[in-house]
Amino acid sequence: EPVQALAVTVSEDAAKEDAAKENAAKGSPPEACMHTFKVELNRDGDDVPWGFTRELHTRGLHIGILGQDGDGPVQAYNAAAAEGERVCENDFIVSVNGRRGPAAMQSSMTGENKVCLVIRRPWIFDQLVPKTGKPLGISISHMSDGHSLHVDAVAEDSAVRACDADIVAGDRIIGVNGHRGPFQELIKAIKLSEAPVLTIARVVEPPSPEPESEDADGDSGEASTDEDHCRSAGGDTLEDVDGAGWRPSAGESFSDDESPGGSPADEGAEKMDSSESARST
């Protein structure tokens, strides 16, 4: 038995070391992921979808799924834009009409028919996380109709820390083991895998200031800090979005229940649900 226990320990240590080497090979963020540009969109009324889903992010909004309807405002913009300036899935919106923070930005997206978005490309990379007997150690939240998981916090005594995986609060998990899909499928894939490969989307701050957007009247909007609109996972609250509080439910372990929970998805390409579900794994 002592020999067998030693073999298991060595195997787990080797798995952690191999994962750490593989994870470190991702390197530094490429310059392309810091590309920041303006997008001006117009719609005929506040009941007209913008043409993409929006998911809450600590620094703003994350673009989920682009609609297939070619008549949407973002689809019309993309049809005329240069390839490097088109809006893509997993892009981050860092300001709307000069306003920052998810609550102020969401208010502009729902209440205004002309918006100037500042878009930043994501840094997308993979991280291998062998569990080796430890919980993954990530607290997450997600939209009820989301296609990604927001990382709220990472525990110190966790599989993520044990293998030096570069996963931090504010990252988004957009895929697991090469699979992308609704949040329920991502959660299930993490539960079933002993060494999941997590595809991470991260917003990276550029070395120089990004362009400022303007409001519909051509004036710069009043900027607000992220701290005005978000609290850390420890606070378990987010400021009001669309008049309803973003209050995550009590933490839940992936190992406790395979059911991902969450309320039914709202209809409409651009809608955000008024509550997120929080979990830990």
Side-chain angles (χ1 to χ4, degrees):
E1 288 186 353
V3 174
Q4 182 179 8
L6 176 61
V8 171
T9 301
V10 171
S11 176
E12 290 182 353
D13 288 344
K16 294 174 187 176
E17 290 180 7
D18 290 345
K21 291 177 182 177
E22 182 172 331
N23 291 336
K26 79 181 191 312
S28 301
E31 187 176 345
C33 77
M34 289 180 273
H35 177 51
T36 306
F37 57 100
K38 289 183 181 180
V39 172
E40 294 186 358
L41 302 177
N42 295 275
R43 62 180 179 178
D44 294 333
D46 56 15
D47 60 339
V48 177
W50 289 109
F52 58 90
T53 62
R54 303 186 301 276
E55 300 186 40
L56 182 70
H57 184 70
T58 52
R59 297 182 180 178
L61 301 175
H62 173 253
I63 294 178
I65 303 299
L66 293 180
Q68 300 302 310
D69 183 1
D71 295 332
V74 75
Q75 286 74 22
Y77 166 84
N78 278 350
E83 183 175 357
E85 305 296 309
R86 293 171 188 162
V87 177
C88 300
E89 292 181 354
N90 294 311
D91 280 347
F92 289 96
I93 305 174
V94 296
S95 72
V96 179
N97 289 344
R99 301 179 179 92
R100 295 175 180 271
M105 292 163 62
Q106 173 67 354
S107 177
S108 292
M109 294 297 296
T110 57
E112 300 178 27
N113 296 325
K114 179 180 180 181
V115 293
C116 180
L117 314 179
V118 174
I119 302 285
R120 185 170 303 148
R121 295 287 191 229
W123 182 21
I124 297 178
F125 56 91
D126 291 335
Q127 292 288 275
L128 171 64
V129 186
K131 294 177 181 176
T132 59
K134 288 180 175 288
L136 205 65
I138 298 177
S139 297
I140 62 167
S141 55
H142 55 78
M143 302 299 300
S144 64
D145 56 353
H147 283 65
S148 68
L149 306 173
H150 182 271
V151 177
D152 297 325
V154 180
E156 288 303 319
D157 185 19
S158 63
V160 170
R161 291 287 184 252
C163 67
D164 292 328
D166 185 10
I167 301 174
V168 299
D171 285 345
R172 297 203 79 92
I173 300 171
I174 60 173
V176 180
N177 295 333
H179 174 75
R180 301 194 186 191
F183 75 88
Q184 298 97 326
E185 296 178 9
L186 300 181
I187 290 175
K188 184 176 181 179
I190 291 174
K191 287 183 179 181
L192 295 178
S193 178
E194 287 302 312
V197 176
L198 307 181
T199 301
I200 303 296
R202 177 180 297 171
V203 60
V204 179
E205 293 297 329
S208 57
E210 74 236 5
E212 289 297 327
S213 63
E214 297 179 346
D215 62 24
D217 298 323
D219 297 326
S220 295
E222 182 179 353
S224 53
T225 64
D226 295 335
E227 289 75 11
D228 291 335
H229 303 286
C230 296
R231 298 179 186 173
S232 66
D236 278 342
T237 61
L238 288 165
E239 287 296 314
D240 287 352
V241 177
D242 271 349
W246 294 83
R247 292 182 173 83
S249 59
E252 179 181 351
S253 170
F254 278 127
S255 60
D256 293 339
D257 182 7
E258 285 195 6
S259 173
S263 53
D266 287 333
E267 297 181 356
E270 90 294 355
K271 289 186 178 179
M272 294 179 78
D273 189 74
S274 61
S275 63
E276 281 197 328
S277 173
R279 300 166 178 272
S280 59
T281 177

